[in-house]
Amino acid sequence: MIKPIQSILFATNLNKTCLPALEMAAVMATRHQATLVLMHVVEQMPEYIETRLKGLFGEQEYEDMVQKKSNTARAALIGKISASGLVREALEQFCANAGIDDDACDYQAREIVVTGGNLVEEIIATSKKYNCGFIVMGAREGFLTDNSIGHTIKSVMRRSKIPVMMVPPPQE
């Protein structure tokens, strides 16, 4: 028996190439009436660099800079999901094509998570915390090819006990 999807994790680095992945996650969340969890991980710096920065700027100034980055990431995620433009348009188009009535397409549920630490560990932990049915991530533009699956996506795919969907960046 297929278990119903209660929530979907969209993990992003806030790059513009992740917009198709956000659209896909929003459409899937709408279709399944699932909660969409938007997540950004502020990557943890190696301890020796963090110690140097604290020494250079002072501990309070360093903590303020980290908090500012976290707040900026949260604002960017809020802006991505509340911007009615492309995401709302994609949802409406999906519902029209699928013949789903307007009430079923009225997607509202979402969570916004900004955390710090190891990227892969935080993504896996968040997917468990929110009981996600799958994880959606955007691929980056590659150097020699059209798109590239980076180390983070590969590591999440290896460690995850739930499906991971990789969405390629938009074609120019």
Side-chain angles (χ1 to χ4, degrees), residues 137-158:
M137 301 175 77
R140 63 177 185 232
E141 294 174 334
F143 178 65
L144 297 174
T145 61
D146 289 339
N147 58 55
S148 176
I149 299 175
H151 172 74
T152 301
I153 293 175
K154 288 178 187 175
S155 296
V156 169
M157 288 177 152
R158 273 193 287 274

mmCIF file with all atom_site columns, all heavy atoms in Angstrom, residues 137-158:
data_model
loop_
_atom_site.group_PDB
_atom_site.id
_atom_site.type_symbol
_atom_site.label_atom_id
_atom_site.label_alt_id
_atom_site.label_comp_id
_atom_site.label_asym_id
_atom_site.label_entity_id
_atom_site.label_seq_id
_atom_site.pdbx_PDB_ins_code
_atom_site.Cartn_x
_atom_site.Cartn_y
_atom_site.Cartn_z
_atom_site.occupancy
_atom_site.B_iso_or_equiv
_atom_site.pdbx_formal_charge
_atom_site.auth_seq_id
_atom_site.auth_comp_id
_atom_site.auth_asym_id
_atom_site.auth_atom_id
_atom_site.pdbx_PDB_model_num
ATOM 1   N N   . MET A 1 137 ? 15.298 18.802 -4.765  1.00 0.00 ? 137 MET A N   1
ATOM 2   C CA  . MET A 1 137 ? 16.481 19.659 -4.811  1.00 0.00 ? 137 MET A CA  1
ATOM 3   C C   . MET A 1 137 ? 16.742 20.063 -6.257  1.00 0.00 ? 137 MET A C   1
ATOM 4   O O   . MET A 1 137 ? 16.425 19.314 -7.178  1.00 0.00 ? 137 MET A O   1
ATOM 5   C CB  . MET A 1 137 ? 17.704 18.914 -4.249  1.00 0.00 ? 137 MET A CB  1
ATOM 6   C CG  . MET A 1 137 ? 17.532 18.449 -2.818  1.00 0.00 ? 137 MET A CG  1
ATOM 7   S SD  . MET A 1 137 ? 18.917 17.449 -2.231  1.00 0.00 ? 137 MET A SD  1
ATOM 8   C CE  . MET A 1 137 ? 20.116 18.741 -1.936  1.00 0.00 ? 137 MET A CE  1
ATOM 9   N N   . GLY A 1 138 ? 17.335 21.224 -6.453  1.00 0.00 ? 138 GLY A N   1
ATOM 10  C CA  . GLY A 1 138 ? 17.660 21.695 -7.793  1.00 0.00 ? 138 GLY A CA  1
ATOM 11  C C   . GLY A 1 138 ? 19.112 21.435 -8.134  1.00 0.00 ? 138 GLY A C   1
ATOM 12  O O   . GLY A 1 138 ? 20.001 21.641 -7.305  1.00 0.00 ? 138 GLY A O   1
ATOM 13  N N   . ALA A 1 139 ? 19.332 20.982 -9.363  1.00 0.00 ? 139 ALA A N   1
ATOM 14  C CA  . ALA A 1 139 ? 20.710 20.785 -9.839  1.00 0.00 ? 139 ALA A CA  1
ATOM 15  C C   . ALA A 1 139 ? 21.297 22.134 -10.227 1.00 0.00 ? 139 ALA A C   1
ATOM 16  O O   . ALA A 1 139 ? 20.578 23.099 -10.471 1.00 0.00 ? 139 ALA A O   1
ATOM 17  C CB  . ALA A 1 139 ? 20.727 19.840 -11.034 1.00 0.00 ? 139 ALA A CB  1
ATOM 18  N N   . ARG A 1 140 ? 22.580 22.180 -10.313 1.00 0.00 ? 140 ARG A N   1
ATOM 19  C CA  . ARG A 1 140 ? 23.245 23.429 -10.712 1.00 0.00 ? 140 ARG A CA  1
ATOM 20  C C   . ARG A 1 140 ? 23.640 23.345 -12.182 1.00 0.00 ? 140 ARG A C   1
ATOM 21  O O   . ARG A 1 140 ? 23.668 22.260 -12.774 1.00 0.00 ? 140 ARG A O   1
ATOM 22  C CB  . ARG A 1 140 ? 24.459 23.679 -9.845  1.00 0.00 ? 140 ARG A CB  1
ATOM 23  C CG  . ARG A 1 140 ? 25.519 22.611 -10.005 1.00 0.00 ? 140 ARG A CG  1
ATOM 24  C CD  . ARG A 1 140 ? 26.744 22.939 -9.172  1.00 0.00 ? 140 ARG A CD  1
ATOM 25  N NE  . ARG A 1 140 ? 27.768 21.954 -9.467  1.00 0.00 ? 140 ARG A NE  1
ATOM 26  C CZ  . ARG A 1 140 ? 28.403 21.261 -8.561  1.00 0.00 ? 140 ARG A CZ  1
ATOM 27  N NH1 . ARG A 1 140 ? 28.138 21.432 -7.300  1.00 0.00 ? 140 ARG A NH1 1
ATOM 28  N NH2 . ARG A 1 140 ? 29.322 20.401 -8.916  1.00 0.00 ? 140 ARG A NH2 1
ATOM 29  N N   . GLU A 1 141 ? 23.945 24.484 -12.735 1.00 0.00 ? 141 GLU A N   1
ATOM 30  C CA  . GLU A 1 141 ? 24.458 24.509 -14.100 1.00 0.00 ? 141 GLU A CA  1
ATOM 31  C C   . GLU A 1 141 ? 25.875 23.966 -14.075 1.00 0.00 ? 141 GLU A C   1
ATOM 32  O O   . GLU A 1 141 ? 26.674 24.330 -13.216 1.00 0.00 ? 141 GLU A O   1
ATOM 33  C CB  . GLU A 1 141 ? 24.447 25.936 -14.643 1.00 0.00 ? 141 GLU A CB  1
ATOM 34  C CG  . GLU A 1 141 ? 23.052 26.488 -14.809 1.00 0.00 ? 141 GLU A CG  1
ATOM 35  C CD  . GLU A 1 141 ? 23.050 27.943 -15.210 1.00 0.00 ? 141 GLU A CD  1
ATOM 36  O OE1 . GLU A 1 141 ? 24.024 28.672 -14.905 1.00 0.00 ? 141 GLU A OE1 1
ATOM 37  O OE2 . GLU A 1 141 ? 22.068 28.357 -15.823 1.00 0.00 ? 141 GLU A OE2 1
ATOM 38  N N   . GLY A 1 142 ? 26.166 23.065 -14.994 1.00 0.00 ? 142 GLY A N   1
ATOM 39  C CA  . GLY A 1 142 ? 27.482 22.436 -15.017 1.00 0.00 ? 142 GLY A CA  1
ATOM 40  C C   . GLY A 1 142 ? 28.498 23.246 -15.792 1.00 0.00 ? 142 GLY A C   1
ATOM 41  O O   . GLY A 1 142 ? 28.166 24.124 -16.580 1.00 0.00 ? 142 GLY A O   1
ATOM 42  N N   . PHE A 1 143 ? 29.745 22.931 -15.577 1.00 0.00 ? 143 PHE A N   1
ATOM 43  C CA  . PHE A 1 143 ? 30.844 23.628 -16.258 1.00 0.00 ? 143 PHE A CA  1
ATOM 44  C C   . PHE A 1 143 ? 30.969 23.146 -17.708 1.00 0.00 ? 143 PHE A C   1
ATOM 45  O O   . PHE A 1 143 ? 31.032 23.940 -18.627 1.00 0.00 ? 143 PHE A O   1
ATOM 46  C CB  . PHE A 1 143 ? 32.147 23.388 -15.492 1.00 0.00 ? 143 PHE A CB  1
ATOM 47  C CG  . PHE A 1 143 ? 33.345 24.030 -16.135 1.00 0.00 ? 143 PHE A CG  1
ATOM 48  C CD1 . PHE A 1 143 ? 33.440 25.406 -16.226 1.00 0.00 ? 143 PHE A CD1 1
ATOM 49  C CD2 . PHE A 1 143 ? 34.362 23.255 -16.650 1.00 0.00 ? 143 PHE A CD2 1
ATOM 50  C CE1 . PHE A 1 143 ? 34.537 25.995 -16.822 1.00 0.00 ? 143 PHE A CE1 1
ATOM 51  C CE2 . PHE A 1 143 ? 35.467 23.834 -17.244 1.00 0.00 ? 143 PHE A CE2 1
ATOM 52  C CZ  . PHE A 1 143 ? 35.556 25.214 -17.329 1.00 0.00 ? 143 PHE A CZ  1
ATOM 53  N N   . LEU A 1 144 ? 30.974 21.839 -17.901 1.00 0.00 ? 144 LEU A N   1
ATOM 54  C CA  . LEU A 1 144 ? 31.132 21.288 -19.241 1.00 0.00 ? 144 LEU A CA  1
ATOM 55  C C   . LEU A 1 144 ? 29.841 20.706 -19.810 1.00 0.00 ? 144 LEU A C   1
ATOM 56  O O   . LEU A 1 144 ? 29.760 20.435 -20.994 1.00 0.00 ? 144 LEU A O   1
ATOM 57  C CB  . LEU A 1 144 ? 32.209 20.187 -19.222 1.00 0.00 ? 144 LEU A CB  1
ATOM 58  C CG  . LEU A 1 144 ? 33.606 20.659 -18.832 1.00 0.00 ? 144 LEU A CG  1
ATOM 59  C CD1 . LEU A 1 144 ? 34.546 19.473 -18.711 1.00 0.00 ? 144 LEU A CD1 1
ATOM 60  C CD2 . LEU A 1 144 ? 34.151 21.649 -19.844 1.00 0.00 ? 144 LEU A CD2 1
ATOM 61  N N   . THR A 1 145 ? 28.847 20.499 -18.961 1.00 0.00 ? 145 THR A N   1
ATOM 62  C CA  . THR A 1 145 ? 27.586 19.922 -19.421 1.00 0.00 ? 145 THR A CA  1
ATOM 63  C C   . THR A 1 145 ? 26.450 20.879 -19.119 1.00 0.00 ? 145 THR A C   1
ATOM 64  O O   . THR A 1 145 ? 26.640 21.909 -18.481 1.00 0.00 ? 145 THR A O   1
ATOM 65  C CB  . THR A 1 145 ? 27.321 18.581 -18.710 1.00 0.00 ? 145 THR A CB  1
ATOM 66  O OG1 . THR A 1 145 ? 27.232 18.825 -17.300 1.00 0.00 ? 145 THR A OG1 1
ATOM 67  C CG2 . THR A 1 145 ? 28.408 17.573 -18.992 1.00 0.00 ? 145 THR A CG2 1
ATOM 68  N N   . ASP A 1 146 ? 25.242 20.516 -19.555 1.00 0.00 ? 146 ASP A N   1
ATOM 69  C CA  . ASP A 1 146 ? 24.093 21.383 -19.326 1.00 0.00 ? 146 ASP A CA  1
ATOM 70  C C   . ASP A 1 146 ? 23.741 21.528 -17.854 1.00 0.00 ? 146 ASP A C   1
ATOM 71  O O   . ASP A 1 146 ? 23.350 22.577 -17.398 1.00 0.00 ? 146 ASP A O   1
ATOM 72  C CB  . ASP A 1 146 ? 22.867 20.866 -20.084 1.00 0.00 ? 146 ASP A CB  1
ATOM 73  C CG  . ASP A 1 146 ? 23.024 21.056 -21.577 1.00 0.00 ? 146 ASP A CG  1
ATOM 74  O OD1 . ASP A 1 146 ? 23.839 21.916 -21.978 1.00 0.00 ? 146 ASP A OD1 1
ATOM 75  O OD2 . ASP A 1 146 ? 22.345 20.356 -22.333 1.00 0.00 ? 146 ASP A OD2 1
ATOM 76  N N   . ASN A 1 147 ? 23.816 20.444 -17.095 1.00 0.00 ? 147 ASN A N   1
ATOM 77  C CA  . ASN A 1 147 ? 23.560 20.536 -15.666 1.00 0.00 ? 147 ASN A CA  1
ATOM 78  C C   . ASN A 1 147 ? 24.446 19.531 -14.939 1.00 0.00 ? 147 ASN A C   1
ATOM 79  O O   . ASN A 1 147 ? 25.040 18.665 -15.548 1.00 0.00 ? 147 ASN A O   1
ATOM 80  C CB  . ASN A 1 147 ? 22.084 20.335 -15.329 1.00 0.00 ? 147 ASN A CB  1
ATOM 81  C CG  . ASN A 1 147 ? 21.550 19.008 -15.805 1.00 0.00 ? 147 ASN A CG  1
ATOM 82  O OD1 . ASN A 1 147 ? 22.093 17.965 -15.482 1.00 0.00 ? 147 ASN A OD1 1
ATOM 83  N ND2 . ASN A 1 147 ? 20.485 19.042 -16.581 1.00 0.00 ? 147 ASN A ND2 1
ATOM 84  N N   . SER A 1 148 ? 24.484 19.696 -13.646 1.00 0.00 ? 148 SER A N   1
ATOM 85  C CA  . SER A 1 148 ? 25.407 18.888 -12.869 1.00 0.00 ? 148 SER A CA  1
ATOM 86  C C   . SER A 1 148 ? 24.773 18.524 -11.537 1.00 0.00 ? 148 SER A C   1
ATOM 87  O O   . SER A 1 148 ? 24.134 19.353 -10.898 1.00 0.00 ? 148 SER A O   1
ATOM 88  C CB  . SER A 1 148 ? 26.686 19.692 -12.627 1.00 0.00 ? 148 SER A CB  1
ATOM 89  O OG  . SER A 1 148 ? 27.572 18.984 -11.802 1.00 0.00 ? 148 SER A OG  1
ATOM 90  N N   . ILE A 1 149 ? 24.960 17.275 -11.147 1.00 0.00 ? 149 ILE A N   1
ATOM 91  C CA  . ILE A 1 149 ? 24.519 16.850 -9.827  1.00 0.00 ? 149 ILE A CA  1
ATOM 92  C C   . ILE A 1 149 ? 25.711 17.001 -8.901  1.00 0.00 ? 149 ILE A C   1
ATOM 93  O O   . ILE A 1 149 ? 26.739 16.351 -9.077  1.00 0.00 ? 149 ILE A O   1
ATOM 94  C CB  . ILE A 1 149 ? 24.027 15.394 -9.839  1.00 0.00 ? 149 ILE A CB  1
ATOM 95  C CG1 . ILE A 1 149 ? 22.844 15.261 -10.789 1.00 0.00 ? 149 ILE A CG1 1
ATOM 96  C CG2 . ILE A 1 149 ? 23.635 14.953 -8.436  1.00 0.00 ? 149 ILE A CG2 1
ATOM 97  C CD1 . ILE A 1 149 ? 22.355 13.857 -10.965 1.00 0.00 ? 149 ILE A CD1 1
ATOM 98  N N   . GLY A 1 150 ? 25.588 17.883 -7.943  1.00 0.00 ? 150 GLY A N   1
ATOM 99  C CA  . GLY A 1 150 ? 26.691 18.173 -7.039  1.00 0.00 ? 150 GLY A CA  1
ATOM 100 C C   . GLY A 1 150 ? 26.835 17.165 -5.914  1.00 0.00 ? 150 GLY A C   1
ATOM 101 O O   . GLY A 1 150 ? 26.022 16.245 -5.744  1.00 0.00 ? 150 GLY A O   1
ATOM 102 N N   . HIS A 1 151 ? 27.860 17.373 -5.140  1.00 0.00 ? 151 HIS A N   1
ATOM 103 C CA  . HIS A 1 151 ? 28.197 16.486 -4.022  1.00 0.00 ? 151 HIS A CA  1
ATOM 104 C C   . HIS A 1 151 ? 27.050 16.409 -3.019  1.00 0.00 ? 151 HIS A C   1
ATOM 105 O O   . HIS A 1 151 ? 26.750 15.328 -2.501  1.00 0.00 ? 151 HIS A O   1
ATOM 106 C CB  . HIS A 1 151 ? 29.475 16.979 -3.334  1.00 0.00 ? 151 HIS A CB  1
ATOM 107 C CG  . HIS A 1 151 ? 29.788 16.252 -2.079  1.00 0.00 ? 151 HIS A CG  1
ATOM 108 N ND1 . HIS A 1 151 ? 30.285 14.974 -2.069  1.00 0.00 ? 151 HIS A ND1 1
ATOM 109 C CD2 . HIS A 1 151 ? 29.652 16.612 -0.779  1.00 0.00 ? 151 HIS A CD2 1
ATOM 110 C CE1 . HIS A 1 151 ? 30.450 14.580 -0.813  1.00 0.00 ? 151 HIS A CE1 1
ATOM 111 N NE2 . HIS A 1 151 ? 30.062 15.557 -0.018  1.00 0.00 ? 151 HIS A NE2 1
ATOM 112 N N   . THR A 1 152 ? 26.402 17.530 -2.734  1.00 0.00 ? 152 THR A N   1
ATOM 113 C CA  . THR A 1 152 ? 25.331 17.534 -1.738  1.00 0.00 ? 152 THR A CA  1
ATOM 114 C C   . THR A 1 152 ? 24.171 16.649 -2.179  1.00 0.00 ? 152 THR A C   1
ATOM 115 O O   . THR A 1 152 ? 23.681 15.823 -1.405  1.00 0.00 ? 152 THR A O   1
ATOM 116 C CB  . THR A 1 152 ? 24.833 18.973 -1.483  1.00 0.00 ? 152 THR A CB  1
ATOM 117 O OG1 . THR A 1 152 ? 25.939 19.765 -1.030  1.00 0.00 ? 152 THR A OG1 1
ATOM 118 C CG2 . THR A 1 152 ? 23.731 18.993 -0.444  1.00 0.00 ? 152 THR A CG2 1
ATOM 119 N N   . ILE A 1 153 ? 23.722 16.797 -3.435  1.00 0.00 ? 153 ILE A N   1
ATOM 120 C CA  . ILE A 1 153 ? 22.609 15.983 -3.923  1.00 0.00 ? 153 ILE A CA  1
ATOM 121 C C   . ILE A 1 153 ? 22.983 14.507 -3.908  1.00 0.00 ? 153 ILE A C   1
ATOM 122 O O   . ILE A 1 153 ? 22.205 13.660 -3.465  1.00 0.00 ? 153 ILE A O   1
ATOM 123 C CB  . ILE A 1 153 ? 22.162 16.422 -5.334  1.00 0.00 ? 153 ILE A CB  1
ATOM 124 C CG1 . ILE A 1 153 ? 21.556 17.824 -5.274  1.00 0.00 ? 153 ILE A CG1 1
ATOM 125 C CG2 . ILE A 1 153 ? 21.167 15.430 -5.928  1.00 0.00 ? 153 ILE A CG2 1
ATOM 126 C CD1 . ILE A 1 153 ? 21.192 18.405 -6.627  1.00 0.00 ? 153 ILE A CD1 1
ATOM 127 N N   . LYS A 1 154 ? 24.186 14.183 -4.371  1.00 0.00 ? 154 LYS A N   1
ATOM 128 C CA  . LYS A 1 154 ? 24.624 12.783 -4.373  1.00 0.00 ? 154 LYS A CA  1
ATOM 129 C C   . LYS A 1 154 ? 24.645 12.216 -2.954  1.00 0.00 ? 154 LYS A C   1
ATOM 130 O O   . LYS A 1 154 ? 24.206 11.087 -2.722  1.00 0.00 ? 154 LYS A O   1
ATOM 131 C CB  . LYS A 1 154 ? 26.015 12.657 -4.998  1.00 0.00 ? 154 LYS A CB  1
ATOM 132 C CG  . LYS A 1 154 ? 26.030 12.859 -6.491  1.00 0.00 ? 154 LYS A CG  1
ATOM 133 C CD  . LYS A 1 154 ? 27.457 12.764 -7.011  1.00 0.00 ? 154 LYS A CD  1
ATOM 134 C CE  . LYS A 1 154 ? 27.545 13.124 -8.467  1.00 0.00 ? 154 LYS A CE  1
ATOM 135 N NZ  . LYS A 1 154 ? 28.934 13.149 -8.943  1.00 0.00 ? 154 LYS A NZ  1
ATOM 136 N N   . SER A 1 155 ? 25.135 12.997 -2.013  1.00 0.00 ? 155 SER A N   1
ATOM 137 C CA  . SER A 1 155 ? 25.212 12.528 -0.625  1.00 0.00 ? 155 SER A CA  1
ATOM 138 C C   . SER A 1 155 ? 23.825 12.354 -0.017  1.00 0.00 ? 155 SER A C   1
ATOM 139 O O   . SER A 1 155 ? 23.576 11.388 0.710   1.00 0.00 ? 155 SER A O   1
ATOM 140 C CB  . SER A 1 155 ? 26.027 13.510 0.220   1.00 0.00 ? 155 SER A CB  1
ATOM 141 O OG  . SER A 1 155 ? 27.357 13.540 -0.241  1.00 0.00 ? 155 SER A OG  1
ATOM 142 N N   . VAL A 1 156 ? 22.906 13.285 -0.315  1.00 0.00 ? 156 VAL A N   1
ATOM 143 C CA  . VAL A 1 156 ? 21.537 13.156 0.185   1.00 0.00 ? 156 VAL A CA  1
ATOM 144 C C   . VAL A 1 156 ? 20.898 11.906 -0.412  1.00 0.00 ? 156 VAL A C   1
ATOM 145 O O   . VAL A 1 156 ? 20.230 11.143 0.287   1.00 0.00 ? 156 VAL A O   1
ATOM 146 C CB  . VAL A 1 156 ? 20.703 14.422 -0.117  1.00 0.00 ? 156 VAL A CB  1
ATOM 147 C CG1 . VAL A 1 156 ? 19.227 14.191 0.160   1.00 0.00 ? 156 VAL A CG1 1
ATOM 148 C CG2 . VAL A 1 156 ? 21.213 15.600 0.699   1.00 0.00 ? 156 VAL A CG2 1
ATOM 149 N N   . MET A 1 157 ? 21.107 11.672 -1.706  1.00 0.00 ? 157 MET A N   1
ATOM 150 C CA  . MET A 1 157 ? 20.546 10.482 -2.355  1.00 0.00 ? 157 MET A CA  1
ATOM 151 C C   . MET A 1 157 ? 21.067 9.196  -1.710  1.00 0.00 ? 157 MET A C   1
ATOM 152 O O   . MET A 1 157 ? 20.324 8.235  -1.544  1.00 0.00 ? 157 MET A O   1
ATOM 153 C CB  . MET A 1 157 ? 20.858 10.480 -3.851  1.00 0.00 ? 157 MET A CB  1
ATOM 154 C CG  . MET A 1 157 ? 20.085 11.496 -4.628  1.00 0.00 ? 157 MET A CG  1
ATOM 155 S SD  . MET A 1 157 ? 20.585 11.469 -6.362  1.00 0.00 ? 157 MET A SD  1
ATOM 156 C CE  . MET A 1 157 ? 19.072 12.019 -7.125  1.00 0.00 ? 157 MET A CE  1
ATOM 157 N N   . ARG A 1 158 ? 22.341 9.183  -1.355  1.00 0.00 ? 158 ARG A N   1
ATOM 158 C CA  . ARG A 1 158 ? 22.924 7.993  -0.730  1.00 0.00 ? 158 ARG A CA  1
ATOM 159 C C   . ARG A 1 158 ? 22.377 7.756  0.676   1.00 0.00 ? 158 ARG A C   1
ATOM 160 O O   . ARG A 1 158 ? 22.149 6.629  1.079   1.00 0.00 ? 158 ARG A O   1
ATOM 161 C CB  . ARG A 1 158 ? 24.450 8.129  -0.648  1.00 0.00 ? 158 ARG A CB  1
ATOM 162 C CG  . ARG A 1 158 ? 25.167 7.666  -1.886  1.00 0.00 ? 158 ARG A CG  1
ATOM 163 C CD  . ARG A 1 158 ? 26.664 7.514  -1.631  1.00 0.00 ? 158 ARG A CD  1
ATOM 164 N NE  . ARG A 1 158 ? 27.363 8.777  -1.518  1.00 0.00 ? 158 ARG A NE  1
ATOM 165 C CZ  . ARG A 1 158 ? 27.839 9.470  -2.546  1.00 0.00 ? 158 ARG A CZ  1
ATOM 166 N NH1 . ARG A 1 158 ? 27.674 9.036  -3.769  1.00 0.00 ? 158 ARG A NH1 1
ATOM 167 N NH2 . ARG A 1 158 ? 28.466 10.607 -2.362  1.00 0.00 ? 158 ARG A NH2 1
#
